[in-house]
Amino acid sequence: MTVEELIVRNRSYRRYDASKAVSMETLRDLVDIARRTPSAANRQPLKYVLVSDAAACARLFPHLAWAGALKDWPGPAEGARPAAYVIILCDTEIAKDPGCDHGIAAQSMLLAAVERGLGGCMLGAIDRNGIRAGFGIPDRYQILLVVSLGVPAETCVLENADPGGDVTYYRDGEGVHHVPKRPLEEVILKI
């Protein structure tokens, strides 16, 4: 796949085939890719917690918020939940502010996941205190993001929004997830 194809296929998947596991080796490979991405001043403050066993996934799930625009949807049901997660942390003894390092790392992991037939979602609406307590994460680590991973069990469709139009994602009657994107002309400013 080209980079463009990877980016277009890399959607925020929120429903997965829970019967298909994601191995610890795959999670390690994804983090290995992320650790080699650019880092502000090359400080490399990011650390990762890998979650792939069913009990740990179940312990993490209640601390995650899913699809804020889908007001009546509490998140994936049993059998459609992620098979694995990566919790991205900042070691505050290395850097107080990770800048955009975690976004670069998460996107790199997700693109590599798509290349491997997986999908995922960056989750920032998370219960950091619950995650810290549930996983015994020391205070020196700032909890930044959780990346969910698994084999997608939903269809996500990109579509062009009208200029100035609504870009709220939605699901149609068949459960297809629609993601409107602003037109190119609207995002390039002529100054």
Side-chain angles (χ1 to χ4, degrees):
M1 273 184 266
T2 67
V3 172
E4 182 178 2
E5 289 169 330
L6 285 170
I7 289 169
V8 169
R9 290 175 98 178
N10 178 34
R11 306 293 7 119
S12 293
Y13 293 105
R14 296 177 180 90
R15 293 180 290 185
Y16 304 88
D17 182 346
S19 71
K20 296 183 178 161
V22 175
S23 70
M24 188 59 72
E25 180 182 349
T26 297
L27 294 180
R28 289 178 59 84
D29 289 347
L30 295 176
V31 169
D32 193 32
I33 289 166
R35 77 173 178 85
R36 292 180 276 161
T37 60
S39 175
N42 201 34
R43 292 175 305 206
Q44 305 171 56
L46 300 182
K47 306 293 183 188
Y48 306 87
V49 176
L50 309 181
V51 181
S52 67
D53 70 85
C57 286
R59 197 166 70 241
L60 181 57
F61 184 81
H63 302 293
L64 310 173
W66 295 87
L70 304 176
K71 301 297 182 203
D72 296 330
W73 191 64
E78 285 287 337
R81 293 182 179 167
Y85 300 93
V86 176
I87 304 170
I88 303 178
L89 312 170
C90 177
D91 185 340
T92 60
E93 292 182 9
I94 295 173
K96 298 295 181 205
D97 180 358
C100 60
D101 286 9
H102 55 300
I104 295 168
Q107 178 73 342
S108 297
M109 284 190 288
L110 288 169
L111 291 172
V114 169
E115 185 181 46
R116 288 160 173 77
L118 301 172
C121 186
M122 282 186 229
L123 300 162
I126 56 179
D127 172 11
R128 288 168 173 81
N129 292 331
I131 293 169
R132 183 176 307 284
F135 288 85
I137 298 171
D139 289 339
R140 79 182 254 187
Y141 300 105
Q142 178 187 5
I143 301 170
L144 302 170
L145 288 172
V146 173
V147 176
S148 65
L149 293 158
V151 174
E154 68 179 339
T155 300
C156 294
V157 177
L158 288 179
E159 51 194 43
N160 292 319
D162 293 328
D166 188 7
V167 293
T168 306
Y169 56 83
Y170 63 95
R171 293 216 177 110
D172 65 23
E174 282 80 51
V176 174
H177 192 84
H178 294 265
V179 184
K181 293 294 184 180
R182 296 183 195 285
L184 182 61
E185 298 75 26
E186 188 174 319
V187 299
I188 296 176
L189 298 180
K190 295 178 181 125
I191 298 177

